[in-house]
Amino acid sequence: MGLPKLSTPMQSAGSAAPPVCRLIALLLCTATGVPAQLTPVAVGPIVIVVSDLDRAKTFYTQALSFHTAATREAHEYSFDRLTGVFGTNVRVATLELGSESIELIEYRTPRGRPVPPDSKSNDQWFQHIAIVVSDMEAASARLFQFHVQPISTAPQTLPEWNLNAAGIKALYFRDPDGHPLELIYFPPGKGDPRWHQGQGKRDGPFLGIDHTAIAVADTERSLRFYRDVLGLRVVGESLNYGAEQDHLNHVFGSKVRITSLRSPSGPGIEFLEYLTPRDGRPSPTDTKANDLWSSQTTLIGREFPASVQELLKRKVEFISPEPQETLPLGEKGARGVLIRDPDGHLILFQSASNYHERQN
C-alpha cells in the first residue's frame, strides 16, 4: 500500500549538510563506534523466482502489460557463489513497465521449492510488488479475464478516517506461481505526482511499479537495518485496520503498521508489520535463493567495496562469500553480494558504476 510523503520537513538525500554538521556527525560516529550508513543510488529490479519462465512472461506481459526488454541464460560458477545455490542453470527475463522493471528467473537446476499453498499476507516471507493503475475497475476486469487467483475479496477503497491512505484503492492477487501482487490506484493528491501525469498510457491502465512491500516482525528492528545501515529514508507512515483492510489482505482482524522508505531513485520499500494478528509464520531458516517464495530486492549503492566492508562490520548475514559478477541478473560488469535482512528477505546489493552509465 503506497503512502503519501510525510509532512515533517526532511533533508533530501541529495542535499549536502553544512561542514560543521558533517564534522559533528563524523565525531559522533568515531566516538560511539557506529559506522556510517551506506549511500544508496536506487532500488533496482525486484527479482521473482518462477517455475516456468515462458508461462510467467506470458502472464506478466499479457495480463499486466509488461514489456520484455531482455532474456538470457547462464550456468556460471560465479552465480553459484553469488546466490549460495550450487550447480545453477538459469533463464532470466527482464520485464519493464513504465520506468521500472522486474527480473523473472527460472532455475532449471536445481529446482527450488514452491510457494507454500497456505501462505498468508502476514507470513514473514510475504513480498509483493505494487503495480500502479489509472483505473482500478478497468485493470481488475482485465486481470479476471486471465482467471487470476484473488487474495482480496474485491478491490478495496481505504476509508476517509485514514488520512494518510484515504481514497487509495487496492487489490491483492496471485501470479501463476502463487506470488502475491497488488494493484494500487492513487486518488489526486496521493502517491508520487508522476502517477497523475499520464505516464504509461501506452500500457492501458497499468502505469509502473510504486513499491515492493515486505512483511516484517518488528518495524523498529527493520528501520535499524534499512534506514540506519542501508541508508534509505522514511517518507510515509500509516496504521491500517478495519473491514477494508481485512478484505484487502484476507487476514481477519488485521491491524497493520505501514512504513514507506525510498532511495533517490526506483521503487519504494514498504514495511508491513501486523500488530494483530501475531500468528504470521517466520521465513524458513533454510530458505535458498531458488525457492519460489524468496523474491529479491536489488539495491544499487555507491562506493561498493567500502559498503561491503561496512555490511561486514555491521554483522549483516551474507549469502555470497565475497562480491561476484551479478550476471545473468543486473548488467554486464556489475558486481554484487546477496544478503539477508532481519526477517530473512533477500537483498542483492549491487555496485553502481554501470547504473550511472545507463542513466547518463
Side-chain angles (χ1 to χ4, degrees):
M1 184 65 62
L3 300 175
K5 293 182 178 179
L6 291 170
S7 58
T8 305
M10 302 179 69
Q11 180 176 321
S12 67
S15 60
V20 172
C21 293
R22 293 201 299 270
L23 177 59
I24 290 173
L26 177 61
L27 290 173
L28 284 173
C29 287
T30 303
T32 61
V34 177
Q37 62 184 203
L38 277 59
T39 306
V41 173
V43 171
I46 307 303
V47 180
I48 301 174
V49 186
V50 300
S51 62
D52 182 330
L53 185 64
D54 294 328
R55 180 182 69 169
K57 281 173 56 181
T58 297
F59 174 77
Y60 281 88
T61 56
Q62 294 187 9
L64 297 169
S65 296
F66 280 80
H67 301 274
T68 303
T71 57
R72 48 205 176 275
E73 301 182 4
H75 45 91
E76 301 289 344
Y77 183 60
S78 59
F79 194 68
D80 295 3
R81 291 182 66 79
L82 176 71
T83 60
V85 178
F86 174 70
T88 58
N89 182 330
V90 300
R91 302 172 64 209
V92 176
T94 300
L95 305 184
E96 297 177 343
L97 183 64
S99 301
E100 294 76 41
S101 62
I102 60 175
E103 290 183 313
L104 304 177
I105 180 168
E106 175 191 350
Y107 284 79
R108 287 168 161 168
T109 63
R111 306 294 289 184
R113 293 168 291 181
V115 175
D118 62 344
S119 293
K120 297 185 296 182
S121 299
N122 60 337
D123 289 325
Q124 297 305 305
W125 59 83
F126 179 92
Q127 179 168 2
H128 75 224
I129 57 171
I131 300 165
V132 183
V133 298
S134 59
D135 183 326
M136 178 58 76
E137 287 68 31
S140 58
R142 166 88 169 268
L143 272 187
F144 289 115
Q145 290 177 1
F146 290 85
H147 308 289
V148 299
Q149 178 186 353
I151 297 174
S152 307
T153 55
Q156 301 296 311
T157 302
L158 297 190
E160 292 300 319
W161 61 259
N162 190 340
L163 298 182
N164 282 345
I168 292 175
K169 298 179 182 179
L171 173 73
Y172 282 14
F173 61 100
R174 297 189 187 277
D175 77 0
D177 281 302
H179 301 110
L181 300 168
E182 179 184 27
L183 296 185
I184 187 166
Y185 164 82
F186 292 107
K190 293 287 197 312
D192 192 304
R194 68 194 176 102
W195 301 131
H196 304 287
Q197 295 170 358
Q199 178 182 356
K201 283 184 177 178
R202 66 192 179 108
D203 297 320
F206 303 99
L207 304 181
I209 300 171
D210 183 73
H211 64 271
T212 181
I214 57 175
V216 303
D218 183 334
T219 296
E220 298 307 322
R221 182 181 68 173
S222 294
L223 284 172
R224 289 193 292 271
F225 180 76
Y226 283 90
R227 181 193 62 199
D228 301 341
V229 176
L230 299 185
L232 302 179
R233 68 190 190 280
V234 176
V235 298
E237 297 176 324
S238 180
L239 182 63
N240 290 12
Y241 56 91
E244 297 85 1
Q245 188 65 35
D246 287 6
H247 283 270
L248 174 63
N249 54 32
H250 215 268
V251 175
F252 181 64
S254 60
K255 180 176 287 188
V256 189
R257 179 183 177 183
I258 301 177
T259 307
S260 295
L261 300 95
R262 291 273 173 184
S263 69
S265 181
I269 296 176
E270 190 169 276
F271 300 159
L272 306 176
E273 180 186 0
Y274 281 76
L275 304 179
T276 62
R278 301 292 292 185
D279 60 355
R281 294 165 291 180
S283 186
T285 56
D286 63 345
T287 295
K288 295 186 180 298
N290 62 333
D291 289 323
L292 268 65
W293 66 81
S294 60
S295 297
Q296 302 166 26
T297 301
T298 304
L299 183 65
I300 301 166
R302 296 192 183 99
E303 301 174 352
F304 180 73
S307 296
V308 171
Q309 291 304 310
E310 289 293 347
L311 292 172
L312 288 168
K313 290 179 184 177
R314 296 276 189 150
K315 302 187 184 305
V316 171
E317 181 181 352
F318 275 67
I319 294 172
S320 312
E322 68 275 319
Q324 302 288 333
E325 186 172 358
T326 62
L327 283 177
L329 300 175
E331 298 182 347
K332 186 176 181 180
R335 294 179 66 77
V337 290
L338 194 63
I339 60 177
R340 294 188 197 274
D341 78 359
D343 292 290
H345 298 290
L346 300 182
I347 299 169
L348 178 59
F349 182 67
Q350 180 182 305
S351 59
S353 57
N354 286 60
Y355 178 82
H356 283 305
E357 292 172 9
R358 181 165 55 85
Q359 294 295 98
N360 293 334

